Amino acid sequence: MNVIFLGPNGAGKGTQAKLLQEREGLPQVSTGDILRRAMADPDSPLGTTARRFINRGELVPDDVMIEIIEARLREPDTTRGFVLDGFPRTIAQARALDDLLQAAGHAVDAVVYFEARPDTIVRRLSGRRLCRAAGHIYHVEFQPPVVEGRCDIDGSELYQREDDREETVRHRLSVYRRRTEPLVDYYRSRGILETIDAEADVEEVYRALTEILAARTR
Ligand code: AMP
């Protein structure tokens, strides 16, 4: 099953995609994680490009992103399905994805739209922490680790993303509204859009999500 997670930053897409991967074995393809890994390597040309855009809360250009996703979807773990978390973010990316999947005899099966209010998003993002080793996600208030500052799963250090500072978060939200929100109608008009109330807690959202996906595969 090929699924897209759509919705503003901080709506919980990454958290849910990681759970689906752990519990159902559906690989999470997170373009944000791919870019952050490149940024952690001082010799990576992709990392240098990505840093320029990400730290300002801007989108990385479409041609760069399309190339990344083409390469990632060629890897064998995605042939039986995947969750795209953070891609597509523009209409041009959505069209390129359609072409890519069509050429391989596949299609997008479902798009899950995570709906959340702006104040929820700002609260979630400003308390969000990630682990250095694998990007496991925590929240200082809502989902603290057992040992402060350390990942429960792999023990690596937790850090705050530079683009999770409040001012950058607000800018990212306005970019989201302008560039990414039009994708809601793009997929709704095809009858594959499902909306989830992303205000609920992690396990409640996960339950709703698995129900939606089960109904779509029936
Ligand atoms: P995320 O972890 O999904 O919030 O992504 C972090 C940042 O990476 C975004 O704010 C963008 O700057 C960049 N990024 C990730 N995915 C994309 C994409 N599909 N198109 C453009 N920029 C992206």
Side-chain angles (χ1 to χ4, degrees):
M1 169 158 231
N2 301 330
V3 185
I4 292 174
F5 281 3
L6 191 63
N9 322 81
K13 303 187 299 294
T15 299
Q16 296 295 330
K18 284 196 164 59
L19 282 181
L20 259 189
Q21 175 164 288
E22 278 162 31
R23 297 179 185 177
E24 303 292 331
L26 201 57
Q28 173 200 22
V29 175
S30 158
T31 44
D33 282 351
I34 294 171
L35 295 170
R36 276 184 292 280
R37 269 198 298 276
M39 280 165 40
D41 173 0
D43 299 325
S44 160
L46 172 62
T48 309
T49 305
R51 203 171 294 119
R52 279 211 327 265
F53 294 95
I54 292 182
N55 290 348
R56 292 201 318 255
E58 298 290 341
L59 294 183
V60 174
D62 286 335
D63 55 339
V64 176
M65 296 313 302
I66 291 165
E67 215 175 288
I68 289 176
I69 216 73
E70 271 179 350
R72 181 63 185 91
L73 295 187
R74 252 186 264 125
E75 287 175 31
D77 64 317
T78 61
T79 49
R80 290 198 2 253
F82 52 77
V83 173
L84 284 185
D85 160 22
F87 188 97
R89 266 179 155 100
T90 64
I91 295 279
Q93 291 179 16
R95 293 207 175 110
L97 177 68
D98 286 338
D99 293 346
L100 203 71
L101 291 177
Q102 201 179 11
H106 297 295
V108 177
D109 300 307
V111 178
V112 181
Y113 174 43
F114 288 67
E115 218 170 20
R117 290 193 311 268
D119 59 327
T120 305
I121 286 160
V122 173
R123 211 172 58 234
R124 281 186 183 171
L125 291 185
S126 55
R128 176 161 76 175
R129 300 290 182 272
L130 265 65
C131 87
R132 292 244 180 244
H136 293 121
I137 302 165
Y138 297 85
H139 190 282
V140 289
E141 190 186 336
F142 310 129
Q143 222 187 335
V146 176
V147 178
E148 199 187 321
R150 291 276 152 201
C151 178
D152 293 348
I153 299 163
D154 55 42
S156 70
E157 183 200 10
L158 302 186
Y159 73 102
Q160 179 172 38
R161 282 169 48 170
E162 177 126 359
D163 57 343
D164 278 350
R165 283 169 310 157
E166 183 160 341
E167 214 181 273
T168 316
V169 165
R170 293 198 188 278
H171 182 62
R172 281 160 70 200
L173 268 177
S174 78
V175 171
Y176 167 79
R177 259 182 232 113
R178 192 162 37 87
R179 310 279 311 276
T180 309
E181 216 162 56
L183 294 177
V184 173
D185 284 338
Y186 181 85
Y187 290 118
R188 185 181 280 136
S189 66
R190 280 201 216 167
I192 54 171
L193 190 87
E194 300 272 7
T195 301
I196 258 188
D197 173 15
E199 297 278 335
D201 72 33
V202 172
E203 289 300 333
E204 231 171 292
V205 173
Y206 186 75
R207 210 171 312 123
L209 175 64
T210 47
E211 272 167 24
I212 283 174
L213 297 184
R216 282 265 162 195
T217 43
R218 241 175 249 139

